[in-house]
Amino acid sequence: MLWNEVIGQQEAKQRLVQMVEENRLPHAVMLCGPQGVGKKALAVSLACHLLSKRDGNSGVGLFGDSSESPMLRKLEHPDLHFTYPTIKLPSMSSDHKPVSDDFAREWHELIMQSPYFSMDEWMTAMGGENQQAIITAGESDELVRKLSLKSSQGGWKVSVVWLPERMNIECANKLLKLIEEPPQQTVFIMVCEEPDRLLETIRSRVQRIDVRRISDEDICQALIDRRGVSEPEAHRISRLAHGSWMKAVEELRADSENELFLDLFITLMRLAYQRKVKDLRKWSDTMASFGREKQKRFLSYFLRMVRESFMYNFHEQELTYMTQKEEDFARNFARFVNEANILPIYDLANRAVRDIGQNANAKIVFFDFALQMIVLLIQK
């Protein structure tokens, strides 16, 4: 993968290349930032840059002016290892600890399409939308085995770890030991969205690099160049994306999930305002039928719509980031989100996110969520 395939992030690209060229790259780096900003794309590009430097090759330039080997172009280099969250399929034996190799085909197909994909897309590819994906202790054992082997090409061995915060405690402890005593010429590149969930001992042994949101200008230009979007439409979408290429792509899809979430948001608010408890129960059953990752995405959407509705009350167009349909609803709804209830509503949604993440009963979580909205909407 070439550096110029990464959308925007010129500062991050320059920093990573400079670290390599000046021999200052540590054996473990962690790219941190929100979803969709290109951390995975940066990690894969850095890995290809390192692996292309063997035998005196100067590496893949920032503008793709050096050629990649066919193995790197297909991400099939024997010294490039991917680690990612997995699930346990019914076909697996009871004592089997799932590892990345169990889903190598699905991973390769997805990342070759684009390194910009979400956990939900990955869960769909694995066929386990209603499970919680983790990185097991079996994965750390596999990493120890793979990285202990001599480099097949006589250069670097690179381990790209996507979402290390999803490691269970046994895996985290084993990986810590591997990072403390890394095999020769081995680099770990971690791609993290919630670094606070990682063991402090791991965080202290990696060099953290914060990746900022993609600029609106870079998203706008990428939409025009890569997707053939008109300039006015690209400008509108880039504002709604909030620095995330994945959100920008979602806006392009005719069957955008946001449209479903908007309908669910409108239904919840209308039923809560009308105090239709029986119908709210049906709404919570609908929410419970979704996979947990989708439930959490709805709650994120809910938080965004609450924020946008509150900001709409200030009547400053540059402060709000809504589609036309969202704005049409906010025009009448926004007055119900005010200084008295916005913080309690935020707390309510964040508790629901926590409970869903801890495998609480979704029907109970969302029904309680809906009932409390009845009370919060009447606060002035």
Side-chain angles (χ1 to χ4, degrees), residues 105-172:
R105 179 180 60 82
E106 293 83 355
W107 173 265
H108 188 259
E109 289 177 356
L110 195 58
I111 201 167
M112 285 302 294
Q113 292 174 18
S114 170
Y116 296 86
F117 59 84
S118 65
M119 171 54 71
D120 186 64
E121 290 175 281
W122 174 230
M123 293 293 289
T124 300
M126 288 191 293
E129 293 174 285
N130 292 317
Q131 296 189 49
Q132 293 275 31
I134 64 170
I135 302 177
T136 69
E139 183 64 33
S140 56
D141 294 336
E142 277 293 290
L143 267 181
V144 170
R145 182 186 65 80
K146 291 175 181 177
L147 298 178
S148 64
L149 300 174
K150 185 177 179 180
S151 168
S152 65
Q153 304 296 308
W156 292 97
K157 293 175 290 184
V158 182
S159 172
V160 177
V161 184
W162 183 47
L163 302 182
E165 62 267 36
R166 287 182 176 253
M167 292 185 294
N168 63 21
I169 190 65
E170 186 181 358
C171 177

Side-chain angles (χ1 to χ4, degrees), residues 261-313:
F261 288 165
L262 175 61
D263 289 340
L264 289 167
F265 181 84
I266 293 173
T267 300
L268 169 64
M269 295 307 180
R270 286 176 175 168
L271 294 177
Y273 178 75
Q274 297 167 2
R275 304 183 186 184
K276 294 186 175 181
V277 176
K278 188 174 181 179
D279 290 331
L280 284 173
R281 180 62 179 269
K282 294 179 181 178
W283 178 90
S284 63
D285 288 344
T286 299
M287 288 301 309
S289 68
F290 298 150
R292 292 190 181 273
E293 295 298 331
K294 190 171 184 176
Q295 291 166 358
K296 288 190 284 187
R297 286 204 312 282
F298 168 76
L299 291 168
S300 295
Y301 177 85
F302 173 92
L303 286 166
R304 182 179 75 81
M305 278 301 296
V306 168
R307 182 265 180 198
E308 300 301 340
S309 297
F310 179 72
M311 298 305 295
Y312 187 85
N313 291 314

Side-chain angles (χ1 to χ4, degrees), residues 4-67:
N4 63 359
E5 295 177 65
V6 180
I7 297 169
Q9 302 298 356
Q10 292 302 318
E11 183 180 343
K13 295 176 193 176
Q14 293 282 3
R15 181 179 177 184
L16 292 170
V17 170
Q18 188 174 6
M19 290 170 69
V20 174
E21 300 307 313
E22 296 178 357
N23 293 318
R24 294 187 295 105
L25 186 71
H27 70 274
V29 296
M30 184 166 70
L31 305 178
C32 299
Q35 188 181 82
V37 300
K39 302 182 301 298
K40 205 157 49 267
L42 284 167
V44 175
S45 294
L46 175 58
C48 291
H49 185 87
L50 286 168
L51 293 171
S52 69
K53 288 177 68 63
R54 68 181 181 84
D55 299 328
N57 190 326
S58 61
V60 179
L62 274 178
F63 303 99
D65 52 3
S66 295
S67 60

Side-chain angles (χ1 to χ4, degrees), residues 76-353:
E76 293 177 343
H77 196 287
D79 295 322
L80 174 60
H81 308 286
F82 287 104
T83 291
Y84 34 83
T86 57
I87 59 173
K88 189 159 188 173
L89 298 175
S91 58
M92 296 176 179
S93 63
S94 58
D95 59 344
H96 177 69
K97 296 178 180 179
V99 294
S100 297
D101 285 350
D102 293 330
F103 300 93
R105 179 180 60 82
E106 293 83 355
W107 173 265
H108 188 259
E109 289 177 356
L110 195 58
I111 201 167
M112 285 302 294
Q113 292 174 18
S114 170
Y116 296 86
F117 59 84
S118 65
M119 171 54 71
D120 186 64
E121 290 175 281
W122 174 230
M123 293 293 289
T124 300
M126 288 191 293
E129 293 174 285
N130 292 317
Q131 296 189 49
Q132 293 275 31
I134 64 170
I135 302 177
T136 69
E139 183 64 33
S140 56
D141 294 336
E142 277 293 290
L143 267 181
V144 170
R145 182 186 65 80
K146 291 175 181 177
L147 298 178
S148 64
L149 300 174
K150 185 177 179 180
S151 168
S152 65
Q153 304 296 308
W156 292 97
K157 293 175 290 184
V158 182
S159 172
V160 177
V161 184
W162 183 47
L163 302 182
E165 62 267 36
R166 287 182 176 253
M167 292 185 294
N168 63 21
I169 190 65
E170 186 181 358
C171 177
N173 285 324
K174 289 183 177 181
L175 184 62
L176 172 61
K177 185 175 181 181
L178 193 58
I179 292 174
E180 287 178 330
E181 301 174 7
Q184 188 176 10
Q185 276 197 295
T186 298
V187 173
F188 293 92
I189 308 173
M190 300 185 184
V191 178
C192 187
E193 291 175 2
E194 298 176 275
D196 290 343
R197 290 178 54 190
L198 269 174
L199 290 178
E200 171 60 30
T201 44
I202 290 181
R203 296 203 304 268
S204 65
R205 286 165 174 78
V206 302
Q207 181 168 335
R208 173 171 171 167
I209 297 176
D210 290 310
V211 182
R212 299 177 181 178
R213 296 181 184 275
I214 308 171
S215 69
D216 289 356
E217 293 77 12
D218 285 331
I219 290 180
C220 182
Q221 194 60 49
L223 288 169
I224 295 170
D225 295 342
R226 303 185 184 203
R227 299 295 176 123
V229 179
S230 66
E231 187 171 343
E233 181 69 2
H235 177 70
R236 184 190 70 81
I237 292 175
S238 65
R239 291 186 73 249
L240 290 172
H242 291 288
S244 169
W245 176 249
M246 287 193 294
K247 288 182 180 179
V249 172
E250 285 176 7
E251 289 295 328
L252 288 175
R253 294 172 182 163
D255 58 343
S256 173
E257 189 177 66
N258 282 358
E259 292 190 15
L260 169 63
F261 288 165
L262 175 61
D263 289 340
L264 289 167
F265 181 84
I266 293 173
T267 300
L268 169 64
M269 295 307 180
R270 286 176 175 168
L271 294 177
Y273 178 75
Q274 297 167 2
R275 304 183 186 184
K276 294 186 175 181
V277 176
K278 188 174 181 179
D279 290 331
L280 284 173
R281 180 62 179 269
K282 294 179 181 178
W283 178 90
S284 63
D285 288 344
T286 299
M287 288 301 309
S289 68
F290 298 150
R292 292 190 181 273
E293 295 298 331
K294 190 171 184 176
Q295 291 166 358
K296 288 190 284 187
R297 286 204 312 282
F298 168 76
L299 291 168
S300 295
Y301 177 85
F302 173 92
L303 286 166
R304 182 179 75 81
M305 278 301 296
V306 168
R307 182 265 180 198
E308 300 301 340
S309 297
F310 179 72
M311 298 305 295
Y312 187 85
N313 291 314
F314 294 94
H315 304 291
E316 293 286 345
Q317 186 175 3
E318 289 302 314
L319 295 178
T320 56
Y321 299 84
M322 290 187 284
T323 65
Q324 190 60 54
K325 288 183 179 180
E326 290 170 345
E327 189 172 337
D328 290 343
F329 177 68
R331 189 172 294 113
N332 294 318
F333 169 72
R335 60 194 174 94
F336 294 100
V337 182
N338 50 60
E339 293 88 347
N341 63 12
I342 186 167
L343 291 180
I345 290 175
Y346 256 67
D347 289 341
L348 176 65
N350 283 320
R351 285 197 302 273
V353 171

